[in-house]
Amino acid sequence: MSFKPNASYDFSDAVVVITGAAAGIGQQVAEQFAAAGATLALIDRSESIVDIASNLGAVHRGWIADISDPESVATTANKILSQFGHVDILVNNAGIGPLAPAEDFPLETWDKTMAVNLRGAFLVARAFAPNMLARGQGRIVNLALEWGPRGVTVNAISPTVVETELGLTGWAGEKGERARAAIPTRRFAKPAEIACAIMYVASREAAMVNGANLLIDGGYTII
């Protein structure tokens, strides 16, 4: 099943930071924001992020950074703010998902997963929030209520398995077939579908959406 997004948003006056933008959902989000006119600041630990950004257009930039490292985050945020002057939207997309049975899962790998997926989102949000709060406007895609009264809304996206390289690897074979059968729509999500939801909560049209967790799971949670 193919999916081609046709939602129309205008982000021509927005600077958008996207973490984990070198592949999967993050790359799809970057492509859709670029198509909607946004100026992109892309962050990833992969060196390919520099070329990915430039291939989307001359106005975009890519930065190599480790979002679990406070110094790396602070340095990168300062460079982005120096380059663009402000940030309107932050998409905290970066995450890792090492695959191993729990009884064999190395503790250091668990710690790294928490550092990237949880600590990293906090560090990046904290790095860019002062600029948004000073301007009285902004959008962050992860989750919180604290900054809503000051014009910065924060929301989360919670998808089912997404057909990225990681998702299809982790849910291959009979395990994946069982998972699909348990979802009312009988399939996994497309990266573009997640990107469209992110664009909505980042848009002007979603100004009243704050502290929400948007489930994109084909109805799995209601059964």
Side-chain angles (χ1 to χ4, degrees):
M1 177 182 177
S2 61
F3 177 82
K4 184 177 181 180
N6 60 8
S8 179
Y9 293 106
D10 179 10
F11 288 97
S12 57
D13 60 349
V15 176
V16 182
V17 174
I18 305 169
T19 66
I25 296 171
Q27 187 170 3
Q28 182 65 225
V29 172
E31 291 173 0
Q32 291 197 33
F33 269 112
T39 299
L40 304 181
L42 306 182
I43 301 173
D44 203 282
R45 61 182 179 177
S46 170
E47 295 181 0
S48 66
I49 196 63
V50 176
D51 290 336
I52 288 171
S54 63
N55 289 339
L56 288 172
V59 299
H60 312 305
R61 294 289 184 272
W63 278 270
I64 303 164
D66 177 0
I67 67 164
S68 68
D69 177 14
E71 184 175 345
S72 180
V73 169
T75 299
T76 303
N78 287 336
K79 289 179 179 178
I80 291 172
L81 291 171
S82 177
Q83 173 85 40
F84 298 116
H86 69 278
V87 166
D88 300 284
I89 297 163
L90 166 62
V91 180
N92 261 323
N93 166 79
I96 59 175
L99 303 173
E103 63 270 24
D104 300 323
F105 204 85
L107 184 58
E108 59 269 23
T109 304
W110 170 265
D111 290 340
K112 181 62 176 177
T113 303
M114 293 297 102
V116 173
N117 296 5
L118 185 58
R119 173 186 167 101
F122 171 72
L123 290 175
V124 177
R126 189 172 65 171
F128 288 104
N131 179 266
M132 294 181 178
L133 292 168
R135 297 170 63 238
Q137 62 184 36
R139 299 281 187 272
I140 299 176
V141 184
N142 51 281
L143 187 56
L145 293 173
E146 181 178 348
W147 296 326
R150 298 169 67 184
V152 179
T153 62
V154 187
N155 296 285
I157 303 293
S158 293
T160 182
V161 179
V162 182
E163 291 184 351
T164 61
E165 181 179 354
L166 176 62
L168 293 176
T169 299
W171 297 86
E174 184 179 345
K175 177 183 177 181
E177 292 304 314
R178 290 197 306 268
R180 288 185 182 90
I183 298 172
T185 56
R186 299 296 188 264
R187 67 178 180 88
F188 295 149
K190 305 292 183 182
E193 293 174 311
I194 309 306
C196 283
I198 289 171
M199 290 185 74
Y200 167 66
V201 297
S203 70
R204 296 182 183 90
E205 291 80 358
M208 196 58 180
V209 183
N210 184 45
N213 182 22
L214 179 56
L215 297 174
I216 308 176
D217 64 357
Y220 180 78
T221 55
I222 66 172
I223 59 175

